[in-house]
């Protein structure tokens, strides 16, 4: 279906629908939080019953996710030593798709990242098993970037150009009509430049796999080989995105505890999601067929959440016949680190709010789904429920579990305080939280396993310290996860639209 | 993986659908009892919390594994013998009725030591003690003379003369005094050769001029004086059916600030005035924002006796108590007339919506929190007499979060559990010197008394200090302007 995947420049009924669906997520989250608070005050017994039912649901969901986190982690570990190149070669189909014909396009958007941030990633492309001469790197440089950044890009191009099929720099001018100051506009501009390049060189788009990486992305040595294999092995490969597991290991040892815990949580979430490809949506750095990218009209140029929006755009364009293939390989990015602890916290908050701004997809998808008659109702509901419930849970669960869940006991009147329920509810909640600690312990163990080697003198002590940082979870989930999500939904609800903000990432 | 995920999802869904109702049933008190006809039986529980904590709990002679505080769940409805025992303390034994789905709560049990230990905290020859409720102070009198009175800080254990030597009215006889809850001020009426004088004293150590002659602010001698701890320089005096307002900051006296007054009470921001026409009006200190809370039709006008003055206590959900000069106690809800006469003192605790009152021969409590049952009609307010047949009750104090009442009957001091959560206990604690008062401080959990008159000040621990949670006190205090007994 042809659909303009955008929330702006729409008029009339479409505008009204867009605004209505923008209000729905924030209004739902606030209704849950305020409604439960009022209920706890007016009808503490009813509120307590709901809270216990919710706590149990949360526990089972947590254990369910932990189980698949473990399974996913084991699969990731098992596939670590796979010779992807060999496996890809076995899939060679002469005359159709051969390994030697595959070209990887890597687009790296740069706005304020210096050479120190970009260079390690580009170097990692060369060091992989896949021949870098089959890789086209395009640095998507914002025209408004500072002189130091521009010089860094230029130097990077000079140093590494010969190692690749080519290394282009596409300077994205400011103020192109219809564009917002977002990453998608920059990467789209670069992708169009790459398309011209492929046309010039007579490289068919079907044989190009496009990856859009954050500037700090460092890939595993087998990343392109694995991606090539997954691409070649996938039926209807042009209707699929390929999602690796992002980890934030580049500077993990320099990052403060809260950042480590949060970023590891994001990696875990992606590992769990990988076990559910039916509902998987692209996130952060990922890859897809270049032909599909061109067909759907590249990334949205006026949306912040381009990483997930590109999936939805393709999903609607291909009438639901588009999917995400999970790849059991990692690519590493930088954890948020600023000049000091407080600035890091502020940056983490802003980064999570930007991620949570992915809720901007909801009204557009709703409009598209209302129009699209080819996607089955079941499929629409399945994806919509996951998207909607995911965002609402993100913004409300932590508050329900930590604050609102205890309100019935606080607001309880004499009538309620003299019931068995008043005494048993906290004990049941306590037992549920104790059982949930199994999940926390699992997370601690797996997070330690995922850590890279420390360059510090006492790596064992560092890891023990890291384990204790998980005690920060209650703080981080409330203030650096739920609160920014609620903030993002509230902004969308009130029509206070966000602009793209580049996260500070520093390395020693 | 996809299949496994779906399979596990459905397993978890089934677990949830089965476990959730079972857990909720357990939460409300249902347990599975093999052998019973229904299978599932409704249970109740007993919750016990004591001060001091760590007491052993026996239920029908079986010892419960946990020590207090403890919750004993899954009890089949019926009667149980509950014994709480802590070494060195008096046993606490009750027959307890457990009802289905209900919690029988004893969370305010005070375990008194076998032998209550008293320690001398201030050596001297004191004849009486004055309570300054809700503060860290009490006042000690060596004689009737105003310059023979000491202030005492119960926390720092320091005493100092109330008046500096050579100050106002030295040698004058203290006739009566006025205090207000949580206010560190005390107003004395002092007999001097020039007539009765009013002395306002701040209870503070190292204060240059703690005393101030405020006689000129009273056009005629007031029968009652009121102020609120939050604005101690805004004083109201009652004289012959009118209220005067005194602004000590500006030195202004607003004579007959409110006329035709039959009753009066005040809170931090509001004045409550019962007019001669039996209307209760709420207003701010500047007489603005007037709101009629009770009109003359609400309460039978015959309930208010002729020219009696009524002290008004606002509490609960728009419930008021009216305590008349002749000891009548009225309220604005049925049955309106709580006690016809003889009430000597009323003390209200707004935090727990409770009131304690006493007559010569009995002590009673009102629990207005129990009336606040949403969605139901308010039950009639009723005084529960917790102690009768006394000789002469003269003082009553709230203790341990308004669960107990400490009172003095003549020279005998008693501690009574006033409500269900305290188990309605009654213990004689000690005897004090004839005619001397006592003071109980919820801040220290200690009762202060004189065992001999004249004699030293002693403190007896009733509630262990570690178990005291300091909460903002909202006890409105007792009778103001009473005769200065024993001095």
């Amino acid at each position: 279906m042809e659909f303009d995947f955008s929330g702006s420049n729409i008029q009339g009924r479409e505008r009204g629908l867009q605004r209505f669906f923008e209000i729905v997520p924030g209004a739902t989250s606030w209704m849950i939080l305020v409604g439960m608070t009022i209920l706890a005050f007016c009808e503490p017994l009813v509120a307590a019953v709901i809270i216990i039912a919710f706590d149990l649901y949360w526990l089972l969901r947590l254990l369910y996710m932990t189980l698949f986190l473990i399974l996913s982690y084991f699969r990731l570990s098992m596939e670590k030593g796979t010779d992807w190149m060999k496996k890809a070669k076995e899939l060679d189909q002469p005359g159709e798709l051969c390994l030697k014909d595959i070209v990887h396009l890597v687009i790296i958007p740069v706005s304020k990242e210096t050479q120190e941030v970009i260079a390690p990633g580009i170097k990692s492309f060369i060091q992989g098993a896949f021949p870098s001469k089959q890789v086209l790197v395009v640095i998507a440089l914002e025209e408004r970037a500072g002189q130091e950044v521009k010089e860094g890009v230029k130097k990077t191009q000079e140093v590494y150009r010969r190692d690749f099929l080519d290394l282009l720099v596409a300077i994205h001018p400011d103020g192109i009509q219809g564009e917002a100051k977002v990453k998608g506009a920059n990467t789209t501009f670069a992708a169009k430049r790459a398309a011209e390049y492929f046309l010039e060189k007579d490289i068919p788009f079907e044989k190009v796999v496009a990856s859009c990486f954050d500037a700090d992305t460092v890939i595993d040595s087998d990343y392109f080989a694995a991606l090539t294999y997954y691409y070649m092995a996938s039926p209807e490969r042009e209707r699929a995105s390929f999602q690796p597991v992002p980890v934030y290991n580049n500077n993990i040892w320099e990052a403060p505890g809260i950042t480590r815990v949060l970023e590891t949580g994001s990696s875990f979430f992606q590992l769990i999601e990988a076990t559910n490809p039916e509902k998987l949506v692209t996130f952060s750095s990922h890859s897809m067929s270049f032909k599909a990218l061109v067909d759907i009209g590249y990334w949205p140029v006026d949306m912040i959440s381009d990483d997930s929006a590109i999936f939805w755009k393709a999903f609607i364009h291909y009438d639901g016949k588009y999917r995400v293939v999970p790849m059991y390989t990692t690519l590493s990015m930088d954890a948020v680190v600023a000049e000091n602890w407080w600035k890091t916290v502020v940056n983490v908050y802003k980064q999570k709010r930007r991620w949570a701004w992915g809720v901007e997809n909801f009204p557009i998808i709703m409009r598209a789904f209302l129009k699209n008659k080819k996607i089955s109702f079941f499929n629409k509901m399945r994806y919509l429920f996951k998207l909607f419930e995911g965002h609402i849970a993100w913004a409300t669960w932590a508050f329900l579990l930590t604050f609102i869940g205890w309100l019935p006991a606080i607001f309880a009147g004499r009538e309620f305080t003299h019931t068995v329920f008043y005494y048993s509810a906290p004990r049941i909640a306590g037992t549920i939280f104790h059982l949930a600690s199994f999940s926390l312990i699992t997370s601690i163990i797996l997070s330690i396993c995922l850590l890279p080697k420390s360059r510090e003198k006492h790596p064992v002590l560092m890891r023990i310290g890291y384990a204790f940082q998980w005690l920060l979870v209650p703080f981080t989930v409330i203030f650096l996860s739920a609160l920014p999500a609620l903030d993002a939904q509230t902004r969308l609800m009130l029509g206070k639209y966000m602009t793209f903000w580049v996260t500070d990432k520093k390395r020693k | 993986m996809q299949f496994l995920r779906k399979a596990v999802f459905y397993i978890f869904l089934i677990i949830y659908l089965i476990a959730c109702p079972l857990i909720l049933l357990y939460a409300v008190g249902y347990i599975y009892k093999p052998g019973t006809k229904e299978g599932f039986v409704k249970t109740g529980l007993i919750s016990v919390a004591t001060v001091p904590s760590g007491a052993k709990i026996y239920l029908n002679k079986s010892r419960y594994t946990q020590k207090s505080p403890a919750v004993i769940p899954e009890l089949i409805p019926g009667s149980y013998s509950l014994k709480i025992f802590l070494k060195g303390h008096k046993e606490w034994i009750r027959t307890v009725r457990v009802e289905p789905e209900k919690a029988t709560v004893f969370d305010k049990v005070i375990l008194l030591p076998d032998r209550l230990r008293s320690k001398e905290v201030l050596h001297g020859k004191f004849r009486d003690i004055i309570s300054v409720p809700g503060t860290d102070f009490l006042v000690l009198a060596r004689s009737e003379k105003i310059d023979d009175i000491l202030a005492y800080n119960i926390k720092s254990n320091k005493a100092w003369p109330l008046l500096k030597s050579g100050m106002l009215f030295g040698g004058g006889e203290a006739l009566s005094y006025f205090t207000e809850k949580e206010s560190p001020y005390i107003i004395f009426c002092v007999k001097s050769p020039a007539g009765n004088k009013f002395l306002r004293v701040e209870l503070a150590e190292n204060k240059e001029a703690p005393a101030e002659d405020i006689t000129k602010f009273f056009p005629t001698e007031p029968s009652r004086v009121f102020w609120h701890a939050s604005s101690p320089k805004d004083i109201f005096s009652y004289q012959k059916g009118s209220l005067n307002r005194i602004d000590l900051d500006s030195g202004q006296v607003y004579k007959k600030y409110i006329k035709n007054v039959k009753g009066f009470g005040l809170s931090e921001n509001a004045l409550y005035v019962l007019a001669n026409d039996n209307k209760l009006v709420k207003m701010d200190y500047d007489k603005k924002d007037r709101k009629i809370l009770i009109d003359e039709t609400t309460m039978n006008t015959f309930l208010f006796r002729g020219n009696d003055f009524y002290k008004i206590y606002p509490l609960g959900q728009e419930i008021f108590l009216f305590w008349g000069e002749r000891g009548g106690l009225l309220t604005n809800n049925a049955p309106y007339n709580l006690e016809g006469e003889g009430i000597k003192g009323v003390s209200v605790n707004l935090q727990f919506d409770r009131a304690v009152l006493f007559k010569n021969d009995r002590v009673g409590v009102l629990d207005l929190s129990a009336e606040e049952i949403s969605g139901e009609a308010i039950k009639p307010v009723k005084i529960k007499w917790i102690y009768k047949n006394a000789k002469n009750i003269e003082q009553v104090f709230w203790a341990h979060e308004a669960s107990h009442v400490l009172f003095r009957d003549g020279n005998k001091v008693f501690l009574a559990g006033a409500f269900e959560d305290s188990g309605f206990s009654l213990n004689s604690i000690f005897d004090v010197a004839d005619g001397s008062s006592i003071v109980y401080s919820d801040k220290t959990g200690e009762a202060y008394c004189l065992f001999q008159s004249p004699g030293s000040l002693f403190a007896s621990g009733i509630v262990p200090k570690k178990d005291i949670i300091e909460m903002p006190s909202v006890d409105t205090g007792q009778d103001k302007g009473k005769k200065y007994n024993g001095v």
Side-chain angles (χ1 to χ4, degrees):
Chain A
M1 183 186 88
E2 287 303 320
F3 180 79
D4 182 12
F5 198 88
S6 169
S8 48
N9 301 321
I10 45 173
Q11 302 297 328
R13 181 176 175 271
E14 284 295 297
R15 182 70 218 146
L17 275 176
Q18 172 73 21
R19 215 33 221 119
F20 173 74
F21 290 124
E22 282 176 0
I23 292 167
V24 169
T28 309
S29 290
W30 278 110
M31 268 170 60
I32 290 170
L33 297 176
V34 176
M36 279 305 293
T37 306
I38 292 170
L39 195 66
F41 185 73
C42 300
E43 292 290 342
L45 181 66
V46 178
V49 168
I50 295 172
I51 291 292
I52 287 194
F54 167 72
D55 284 355
L56 183 66
Y57 166 71
W58 169 76
L59 173 70
L60 290 175
R61 178 99 181 247
L62 197 66
L63 295 177
Y64 176 76
M65 288 165 76
T66 306
L67 174 68
F68 285 96
L69 172 64
I70 295 167
L71 292 174
S72 194
Y73 175 78
F74 280 131
R75 176 144 181 211
L76 182 71
S77 307
M78 276 163 55
E79 299 208 354
K80 197 106 187 143
T82 307
D83 186 347
W84 295 107
M85 284 303 282
K86 189 182 164 194
K87 287 183 81 170
K89 267 178 200 160
E90 287 166 8
L91 295 175
D92 263 357
Q93 294 168 294
E96 275 193 42
L97 190 64
C98 292
L99 179 60
K100 65 178 175 51
D101 298 331
I102 298 276
V103 172
H104 284 285
L105 163 66
V106 183
I107 297 172
I108 303 168
V110 173
S111 170
K112 59 181 200 180
E113 293 83 357
T114 56
Q115 195 190 3
E116 292 76 45
V117 175
I118 307 163
I122 291 181
K123 214 171 164 184
S124 71
F125 304 162
I126 305 161
Q127 290 164 342
F130 189 85
S132 60
K133 279 289 181 187
Q134 282 173 246
V135 178
L136 171 68
V137 178
V138 181
I139 297 177
L141 179 63
E142 288 286 7
E143 188 185 40
R144 61 178 176 273
Q147 198 53 39
E148 189 194 354
V149 173
K150 284 177 178 166
E151 279 171 16
V153 168
K154 197 177 168 190
K155 275 183 194 168
T156 308
Q157 188 184 27
E158 284 166 9
V159 173
Y160 296 107
R161 190 168 195 170
R162 284 182 298 276
D163 296 310
F164 296 105
L165 174 63
D166 208 336
L167 195 159
L168 309 176
V169 177
I171 298 174
H172 174 232
D174 272 347
I176 295 178
Q177 205 177 8
E179 285 187 1
K181 285 186 176 177
V182 294
K183 195 177 85 179
N186 188 14
T187 49
T188 293
F189 184 83
K192 285 177 180 169
R193 173 76 188 85
E196 288 167 14
Y197 179 90
F198 292 131
L199 287 172
E200 264 175 40
K201 301 283 179 186
D202 205 18
I203 298 171
F205 290 172
E206 293 84 355
K207 294 180 179 177
V208 178
V209 188
S211 302
C212 182
F213 291 163
D214 285 352
D216 54 354
T217 302
V218 176
I219 59 167
D220 260 16
S221 57
D222 61 358
Y223 180 80
F224 283 130
L227 174 60
T228 309
Y229 167 77
Y230 277 106
Y231 186 74
M232 291 175 75
S234 296
E236 294 187 279
R237 61 183 72 91
E238 285 152 27
R239 300 284 177 93
S241 289
F242 299 88
Q243 180 66 57
V245 178
V247 292
Y248 298 84
N249 284 349
N250 292 352
N251 59 346
I252 199 80
W253 293 113
E254 287 109 66
I258 42 161
T259 310
R260 288 182 206 173
V261 169
L262 269 172
E263 308 292 31
T264 311
S266 305
S267 302
F268 283 175
F269 183 74
Q270 217 48 44
L271 265 174
I272 298 160
E273 287 293 288
T275 62
N276 191 17
E278 270 188 19
K279 295 182 195 167
L280 191 57
V281 174
T282 46
F283 168 75
S284 191
S285 299
H286 61 270
S287 308
M288 66 189 290
S289 153
F290 188 66
K291 184 175 184 303
L293 185 64
V294 175
D295 281 354
I296 65 172
Y298 305 98
W299 288 275
V301 295
D302 57 356
M303 292 178 71
I304 290 173
S305 55
D306 56 277
D307 52 351
S308 52
I310 189 70
F311 166 78
W312 293 112
K313 201 175 174 186
F315 187 81
I316 291 158
H317 181 86
Y318 293 119
D319 298 322
K321 294 182 181 68
Y322 194 84
R323 68 195 192 283
V324 178
V325 176
M327 296 202 303
Y328 286 91
T329 182
T330 61
L331 45 74
S332 181
M333 287 175 280
D334 283 14
V336 179
V337 180
E339 290 153 32
N340 54 48
W341 186 86
W342 178 244
K343 279 191 176 174
T344 301
V345 169
V346 172
N347 282 356
V348 169
Y349 181 92
K350 287 182 177 174
Q351 186 198 45
K352 300 305 166 203
R353 189 175 61 187
R354 194 185 73 206
W355 289 7
W357 189 251
V359 72
E360 69 176 328
N361 286 304
F362 178 76
I364 304 171
I365 296 163
M366 280 302 295
R367 279 173 39 231
F369 279 10
L370 284 175
K371 279 185 176 175
N372 194 306
K373 307 294 175 199
K374 291 182 181 170
I375 304 172
S376 71
F377 179 75
F378 174 75
N379 229 5
K380 284 178 188 172
M381 283 297 114
R382 200 172 57 160
Y383 275 101
L384 274 177
F385 178 76
K386 185 168 184 285
L387 178 70
F388 188 71
E389 191 259 2
H391 279 286
I392 300 302
W394 189 354
T396 57
W397 281 17
F399 291 111
L400 289 173
L401 289 164
T402 52
F403 291 129
I404 295 169
W406 303 103
L407 291 183
I410 295 167
F411 292 147
R414 192 176 184 276
E415 194 185 19
F416 182 37
T417 57
H418 282 65
T419 62
V420 171
F421 199 98
Y422 177 78
Y423 287 89
S424 53
R427 283 191 300 133
I428 292 168
T431 308
I432 288 173
F433 285 123
H434 276 117
L435 290 171
S437 59
F438 165 75
S439 186
L440 181 69
I441 292 164
T442 308
S443 299
I444 293 171
I445 295 166
L446 293 185
S447 67
I448 291 172
C449 297
L450 267 179
L451 280 173
K453 282 182 184 170
S454 169
R455 287 169 291 188
E456 305 291 332
K457 277 183 182 174
H458 307 291
V460 177
L461 287 178
M462 293 282 287
R463 277 165 203 267
I464 292 169
Y466 175 77
F468 278 104
Q469 282 158 12
W470 280 86
L471 296 175
L472 294 167
V473 160
F475 170 81
T476 53
V477 293
I478 296 165
F479 295 106
L480 297 173
S481 184
L483 195 60
L486 191 62
D487 184 353
Q489 289 176 24
T490 308
R491 281 165 186 264
L492 187 67
M493 180 175 75
L494 301 175
K496 309 257 183 215
Y497 304 112
M498 281 174 61
T499 52
F500 196 84
W501 170 84
V502 181
T503 315
D504 281 347
K505 291 175 176 179
K506 294 196 183 307
R507 290 182 206 164
K508 278 183 185 172
Chain B
M1 190 74 90
Q2 194 67 23
F3 172 77
L4 180 68
R5 198 166 164 132
K6 275 187 181 164
V8 175
F9 171 79
Y10 285 112
I11 291 167
F12 273 58
L13 182 66
I14 292 164
I15 291 172
Y16 182 77
L17 292 175
I18 295 169
C20 191
L22 287 178
I23 288 172
L24 288 174
L25 280 173
Y26 175 76
V28 294
Y30 282 89
I31 58 164
Y32 180 70
K33 194 87 177 168
T36 55
K37 194 179 171 186
E38 302 85 4
F40 283 94
V41 288
K42 277 184 187 178
T43 63
L45 62 78
I46 297 173
S47 170
V48 176
T50 61
V51 287
S53 56
K56 290 174 185 170
I57 299 166
Y58 296 86
L59 201 65
N60 285 351
K61 294 182 181 173
S62 305
R63 193 185 148 192
Y64 189 59
T65 47
Q66 278 185 44
K67 290 182 177 178
S68 66
V71 173
I72 311 168
E74 299 175 22
L75 296 174
I76 304 294
S79 286
Y80 292 83
S81 168
L82 176 67
K83 185 171 95 173
I84 303 170
F85 173 75
L86 181 66
K87 197 178 175 186
H89 292 72
K90 290 178 181 169
E91 270 184 1
W92 189 97
I93 303 171
R94 294 286 178 284
T95 299
V96 178
R97 175 128 202 102
V98 172
E99 292 179 47
E101 293 183 39
K102 298 282 180 197
T104 308
V105 182
F106 300 104
D107 59 354
K108 300 278 168 55
V109 174
I110 295 177
L111 297 175
L112 286 171
D114 287 332
R115 278 188 58 213
L116 196 67
R117 286 182 189 168
S118 300
K119 61 174 188 248
E120 185 184 279
V121 288
L122 190 65
H123 185 74
K125 292 186 175 177
F126 306 112
R127 292 184 182 275
D128 204 7
I129 315 169
I130 300 171
S131 166
V132 189
T135 68
D136 293 340
F137 307 101
L138 55 81
V139 172
L140 292 156
R142 285 188 288 229
S143 77
E144 295 173 354
K145 289 179 182 173
I146 188 73
D147 47 5
D148 236 0
I149 296 176
L150 269 66
Y152 173 70
N153 187 321
I154 55 175
K155 283 200 168 164
S156 66
N157 196 29
K158 282 184 182 166
W160 63 96
L162 204 60
L163 304 181
K164 299 209 167 186
S165 57
M167 275 193 74
L168 298 161
F169 320 124
E173 182 189 340
L175 296 173
S176 60
Y177 65 89
F178 302 92
T179 59
E180 284 285 8
K181 181 76 180 170
E182 291 187 345
S183 175
Y185 291 90
I186 183 162
I187 295 175
F188 283 98
C189 177
V190 183
K191 189 179 177 183
S192 82
N196 288 350
K197 297 286 181 184
F198 287 87
L199 198 60
R200 181 174 177 267
V201 185
E202 185 180 358
L203 301 174
E205 294 169 67
N206 310 319
K207 204 77 175 175
E208 272 300 305
E212 182 184 3
D213 179 5
I214 57 167
T215 315
K216 64 181 178 187
F217 297 117
F218 297 113
T220 53
E221 200 167 303
S223 56
R224 289 163 187 272
V225 177
F226 308 86
W227 71 93
H228 195 272
S230 61
S231 49
K233 293 200 169 180
D234 243 334
I235 296 176
F236 295 87
S237 67
Y238 177 76
Q239 281 146 324
K240 293 176 185 169
S242 296
L243 275 172
N244 301 320
R245 182 181 177 184
I246 301 161
D247 183 347
L248 288 179
D249 271 332
S250 64
Q252 287 278 330
V253 179
Y254 303 93
K255 289 180 188 171
K256 298 193 175 178
Y257 189 64
I258 303 170
K259 293 175 191 169
N260 302 321
V261 176
K262 196 173 185 177
F264 182 69
L266 80 174
S267 64
E268 187 175 352
N269 305 310
L271 307 178
Y272 298 89
V273 178
L274 178 69
N276 278 341
D277 56 5
N278 293 329
K279 281 182 185 168
L280 178 66
V281 182
K282 182 184 175 184
M283 61 187 85
D284 68 13
Y285 278 37
D286 295 324
K287 295 195 284 188
K288 291 174 185 161
D289 291 333
R290 296 168 78 97
K291 188 181 169 191
I292 296 176
L293 300 175
I294 300 173
D295 60 29
E296 70 270 43
T297 55
T298 310
M299 289 180 74
N300 186 331
T301 51
F302 296 108
L303 287 169
F304 292 107
R305 283 187 176 197
N307 293 323
D308 269 14
F309 176 84
Y310 286 85
K311 170 111 174 73
I312 301 169
Y313 297 91
L315 37 63
Q317 291 181 333
E318 297 183 348
I319 295 176
F320 298 89
L321 292 179
F322 303 89
W323 177 38
E325 274 176 330
R326 277 183 269 179
L329 190 66
L330 307 175
T331 182
N332 56 320
N333 282 315
Y336 302 111
N337 192 355
L338 294 170
E339 190 66 17
E341 58 184 11
I343 300 284
K344 285 170 72 181
V346 177
S347 180
V348 166
N349 187 303
L350 291 178
Q351 177 136 23
F352 296 95
D353 285 341
R354 288 173 172 179
V356 61
L357 41 101
F358 64 98
K359 297 174 82 172
N360 257 339
D361 65 339
R362 59 187 64 190
V363 179
V365 290
L366 284 169
D367 187 3
L368 295 154
S369 65
E371 316 308 317
E372 293 173 14
I373 297 171
S374 59
E376 288 180 22
I378 293 173
K379 288 179 186 169
V381 182
K382 198 178 171 189
I383 297 172
K384 185 175 183 66
W385 298 107
I386 57 168
Y387 186 70
K388 290 180 183 174
N389 305 321
K391 285 178 189 166
N392 181 23
I393 295 179
E394 291 181 283
Q395 283 185 288
V396 171
F397 296 89
W398 282 119
H400 193 36
E401 298 170 22
S403 64
H404 286 69
V405 173
L406 190 92
F407 61 93
R408 182 168 66 84
D409 178 13
N411 66 339
K412 290 195 175 300
V413 178
F414 293 88
L415 179 71
F419 301 97
E420 282 175 7
D421 53 6
S422 60
F424 296 117
S425 53
L426 180 70
N427 288 284
S428 173
I429 305 178
F430 49 71
D431 292 357
V432 294
D434 285 340
S436 84
S437 304
I438 58 162
V439 167
Y440 176 76
S441 168
D442 237 357
K443 294 188 173 191
T444 59
E446 290 179 322
Y448 299 86
C449 64
L450 308 175
F451 289 122
Q452 284 183 325
S453 182
S456 299
L457 178 69
F458 281 82
S460 307
I462 307 295
V463 177
K465 278 184 184 158
K466 66 180 175 61
D467 293 307
I468 293 170
I469 304 164
E470 272 213 35
M471 286 189 281
S473 176
V474 283
D475 189 335
T476 60
Q478 292 187 1
D479 179 13
K480 311 303 179 309
K482 71 181 178 186
K483 184 71 183 164
Y484 197 136
N485 293 325
V487 179

